[in-house]
Amino acid sequence: MARLILFNKPHGVLSQFSDDGSGRPTLSSYIDVPGIYPAGRLDRDSEGLLLLTDDGKLQARIADPRYKKPKTYLVQVEGLPDDAALSALRTGITLKDGPTLPAQACRIAPPDLWPRVPPIRYRKSVPDAWIELIITEGRNRQVRRMTAHVGHPTLRLVRWRIGDRSLDGIAPGCWRDA
């Protein structure tokens, strides 16, 4: 039977088990389970749900965009996105690597999350807001590029859900079997 692990990846951790010589923390700093591999990635600056499995077919079904598994992100952005910005995200925008599929996007109240280490920069003169963004693709730094494209650079990015699996009840740096 396939093993599936839900891990709350902290900010600054690489989504791989081996270090590239940089001295940055990797998954091996948190998970000591042989034979599992990440199903997809989160960039070093992003936090949140990372699924790991020992089943190659399951790994492909989770990570491959052909399966259109929805991924939910809680995104703190610079500025206050208006209806036009959210509408652009909902209809799809064109990035340098082509058009994105339509996303679900809405403004949300600031979520009750753990403090980020290091904290997000705070600028008194520039407001920020939170949006929930649900995409079915998984391009490199896609959410960050999408929010920047509509004029609201990402300050904090937390992947909360992949399909029906969520971070609910998993502290940063912790994991549990699905």
Side-chain angles (χ1 to χ4, degrees):
M1 184 163 159
R3 185 163 192 188
L4 182 63
I5 289 176
L6 286 67
F7 174 58
N8 188 346
K9 186 190 92 58
H11 176 271
V13 175
L14 298 176
S15 292
Q16 60 197 41
F17 282 96
S18 58
D19 184 6
D20 57 5
S22 66
R24 295 179 290 197
T26 65
L27 298 176
S28 61
S29 303
Y30 298 89
I31 304 170
D32 185 19
V33 177
I36 61 164
Y37 301 93
R41 301 178 73 77
L42 270 177
D43 66 50
R44 187 173 61 97
D45 297 327
S46 299
E47 310 163 68
L49 184 60
L50 187 64
L51 300 179
L52 300 102
T53 183
D54 58 1
D55 181 321
K57 288 181 182 177
L58 177 58
Q59 184 182 20
R61 282 194 308 273
I62 293 168
D64 195 315
R66 288 180 299 174
Y67 295 100
K68 301 202 183 327
K69 194 155 289 274
K71 297 168 188 77
T72 302
Y73 295 87
L74 306 179
V75 190
Q76 183 181 19
V77 296
E78 192 173 275
L80 304 173
D82 59 14
D83 290 338
L86 293 173
S87 179
L89 294 170
R90 289 182 195 123
T91 56
I93 56 178
T94 301
L95 301 173
K96 288 182 181 176
D97 57 352
T100 65
L101 292 173
Q104 295 177 47
C106 63
R107 284 182 292 273
I108 59 172
D112 185 21
L113 297 172
W114 54 90
R116 197 189 89 171
V117 179
I120 297 297
R121 72 176 190 273
Y122 173 74
R123 296 193 315 181
K124 204 177 207 179
S125 62
V126 180
D128 62 68
W130 284 87
I131 61 173
E132 179 183 79
L133 191 63
I134 302 173
I135 62 173
T136 55
E137 300 174 283
R139 299 186 208 174
N140 186 40
R141 300 179 70 85
Q142 180 177 347
V143 170
R144 292 177 186 282
R145 294 187 298 138
M146 288 173 72
T147 63
H149 185 85
V150 297
H152 299 282
T154 294
L155 300 173
R156 185 175 183 189
L157 180 62
V158 178
R159 182 161 58 198
W160 187 258
R161 179 181 301 277
I162 299 173
D164 60 355
R165 311 279 186 196
S166 85
L167 267 186
D168 206 21
I170 306 172
C174 295
W175 61 272
R176 68 174 162 82
D177 283 291

